[in-house]
Amino acid sequence: MDRTTGGAPTRPPQGVAGAVLLLGVLLAGAAPLIPLAVLVYRYEAELLPLFAVPLAVLVAAWRIARDRARDQLTDPLTDLPNRQALLLAAQEAIAEHTEGYSVGLILLDLDRFRSLNDTLGHTAGDRLLVHIARRLHRALRSGGAAGSATRESIDDVFAGLPRHYRGRPMVARMGGDEFAVLLPGIGCPDSLEKVAKALIAELAAPIRLDGLLLVLEASAGVCVFPQHAQDAESLLRRADVAMGHAQRGRTSVEQYDEAQDADTPYRIGLLGDLRRALETGEVQLHYQPKVAFDGRVVGLEALLRWERPGQGRVSPDEFVGLAESSGLMPRLTDYVLEAAVGQLAHWREQGLQVQVAVNVSPRDVLNPGFAQRVAGHLVRHQVPAHALQLEITERLLLDDSRRAADTLAELRGYGVGMSLDDFGTGHSSLVRLRSLPVGELKIDRSFVSRMATDDHDAAVVRCSVELAHSLGLTVVAEGVEDDETWERLACMGVDAVQGWLVSAALPAEQATAWLRVHRTGAPPVERLTAAADRLPPAIQPVLPPVIQAVQAAKLEIQAPTQQSWAPTRPQ
């Protein structure tokens, strides 16, 4: 099976094909001279050598045109086909589409190459890119070194292709540190993903450059025609979407998923509606309480809710992910901070002294000036910094821990609280965890919700509590929905809990009523309202304001259980 890679669409014709093409050009260009040449041959044969001059000009013009066409389709640094050549080859492969025949594309990007280029210098960086190009070309041409995982993986894929497979792999450089591999005839995305993983493994082999031993990491996006795209441009763009998702999630390889793509018609419409919703205030904040085991309210978490007109509620994961991938995240974060800090100011005017936690994206924290923006919201509403807590995720530890630590330290200098959210679902190290100025650790609900029935999850929670306390951190457990989980968390020494057993996330008005009840140390809401309902109607007007507020809420602020929301901590 022919597996020659790269260059085929860009190299000048060779051998018999080149000779035939040259002869055709000469005949076409010399056609007007043929009658004159015949006359000269008959009457003045000695003048025939003069015809060599126009023929030489034609040959020179052909060579210049050939070289210019080659240059337009070739990357000058690596001598690989460039983006335009890849698109032409993809269009040709798609044009050959028949039943059972498809075209696969892998887009590869070297992780953190820019910092390596800045450290070693651009000359060394260019030499490294040339080395990478040769390594990719060699891997697809020969499957890598004998006995290597790369060779076995790629050979397995090609061995499983249908007999009518006539595609020829192409390696292209897209610019910068991006490379692409076109594989006509590979129809299964899983097979293409297997090749991508094998290529990443090949790139991870150590490279010696100027006396340094370098180990490179890469991310890849996989896209297949016609399953994921219908033309060459879409194939390339959607492979880029998948690659970006692989980079953000640190998953090495990702297949294209329409849910990740901000440029589908649905998501373009969703993004436009989200922009309008931020302008008109349609996006709302609901507040979910966090309580200690002795009944104290230790804070509330601000959660986004959006009712899209005519479409119903949109999942926060969907529109927050869309905002992050489209560049709208800073605006959304400012919107949330403004609303949350404004609500804090309103509560403080009513004598409700609470702390509100706001989730922030790693991209926000890494943006210059983020700490000053947060401080601006606090100053504008005259809210003390300790009343605000920012929740960050473990992903921030992987992106740029030094810059993140500097920004978070600046925020802590203002007095803003810090919480590490969804602990246990990421890949953080203890060294990086200690470097961040967080005061609270939140155990992810995926562990908490199953700990009563899964000993492994219970062990994860127990170890997380011990780790956090050893580092001097407060521990909050998310997703508490039953009394057994409550009791187990209390025995493990968890400091506070959050979940439906305590309360659902409430709109601001209902959260205000909830806080008025529970700041007094009164009995649980369901008991209070049940007792009030049994009183004669004539006494209702003289009920305490707290009970009247609960009555007006129509019990919507109850947790979805009839158990007490704050049992006494076991002694």
Side-chain angles (χ1 to χ4, degrees), residues 303-306 313-323 332:
L303 300 172
L304 284 168
R305 298 291 184 266
W306 178 30
R313 176 169 292 185
V314 182
S315 166
D317 289 340
E318 183 176 9
F319 70 81
V320 170
L322 178 62
L332 179 60

Side-chain angles (χ1 to χ4, degrees), residues 271 274-275 278 322-333:
L271 181 62
L274 179 58
R275 292 181 187 275
L278 293 178
L322 178 62
E324 191 166 26
S325 63
S326 64
L328 191 61
M329 198 66 205
R331 184 175 172 184
L332 179 60
T333 301

Side-chain angles (χ1 to χ4, degrees), residues 315-549:
S315 166
D317 289 340
E318 183 176 9
F319 70 81
V320 170
L322 178 62
E324 191 166 26
S325 63
S326 64
L328 191 61
M329 198 66 205
R331 184 175 172 184
L332 179 60
T333 301
D334 279 336
Y335 179 94
V336 173
L337 286 170
E338 179 66 19
V341 175
Q343 185 61 52
L344 271 171
H346 182 65
W347 279 335
R348 294 179 70 83
E349 291 173 357
Q350 301 178 41
L352 299 173
Q353 308 288 332
V354 293
Q355 184 184 62
V356 170
V358 172
N359 291 275
V360 294
S361 164
R363 186 169 298 181
D364 288 320
V365 177
L366 297 176
N367 278 341
F370 176 71
Q372 291 84 352
R373 285 161 46 203
V374 174
H377 290 289
L378 294 168
V379 171
R380 183 163 50 256
H381 290 281
Q382 298 182 348
V383 172
H386 64 78
L388 178 66
Q389 183 185 60
L390 300 182
E391 293 191 3
I392 60 174
T393 63
E394 289 182 84
R395 205 182 90 199
L396 182 61
L397 300 171
L398 299 172
D399 289 340
D400 192 336
S401 58
R402 174 64 62 85
R403 188 191 301 179
D406 292 343
T407 301
L408 297 182
E410 186 176 358
L411 288 165
R412 282 298 295 267
Y414 295 145
V416 176
M418 296 293 156
S419 176
L420 185 62
D421 196 14
D422 299 336
F423 184 77
T425 61
H427 311 279
S428 61
S429 67
L430 293 181
V431 174
R432 287 179 172 174
L433 178 59
R434 292 183 62 185
S435 70
L436 291 180
V438 297
E440 178 185 280
L441 183 147
K442 298 186 74 173
I443 303 175
D444 187 67
R445 66 179 65 249
S446 62
F447 298 107
V448 174
S449 62
R450 299 191 302 260
M451 60 177 292
T453 57
D454 191 319
D455 292 338
H456 179 268
D457 285 345
V460 170
V461 173
R462 183 180 298 105
C463 293
S464 299
V465 173
E466 294 174 355
L467 169 63
H469 284 166
S470 69
L471 296 175
L473 305 179
T474 300
V475 181
V476 176
E478 298 180 297
V480 180
E481 299 182 358
D482 58 81
D483 287 331
E484 184 178 357
T485 301
W486 175 288
E487 296 292 345
R488 288 198 176 199
L489 292 170
C491 293
M492 290 179 183
V494 171
D495 299 291
V497 296
Q498 175 182 347
W500 278 74
L501 185 65
V502 177
S503 172
L506 307 171
E509 298 80 6
Q510 295 181 24
T512 302
W514 193 96
L515 288 171
R516 285 174 176 166
V517 171
H518 295 93
R519 70 168 179 170
T520 64
V525 173
E526 59 271 16
R527 299 182 191 171
L528 195 63
T529 55
D533 287 338
R534 291 194 294 270
L535 293 175
I539 303 179
Q540 296 288 337
V542 297
L543 287 175
V546 169
I547 299 181
Q548 292 182 19

Side-chain angles (χ1 to χ4, degrees), residues 150-166:
T150 306
R151 179 168 188 167
E152 293 172 0
S153 298
I154 296 178
D155 284 348
D156 287 346
V157 173
F158 278 89
L161 292 177
R163 292 183 178 180
H164 66 269
Y165 171 77
R166 354 178 253 285

Side-chain angles (χ1 to χ4, degrees), residues 5 27 46 64 89 123 133 153 161 163 186 199 204 235 248 264 269 280 286 326 378 387 399 442 488 530 538 549:
T5 63
L27 289 176
E46 63 273 11
I64 292 173
T123 301
S153 298
L161 292 177
R163 292 183 178 180
I186 291 189
L199 291 175
L235 191 71
R248 290 189 295 272
T264 62
T280 59
H286 287 198
S326 64
L378 294 168
D399 289 340
K442 298 186 74 173
R488 288 198 176 199

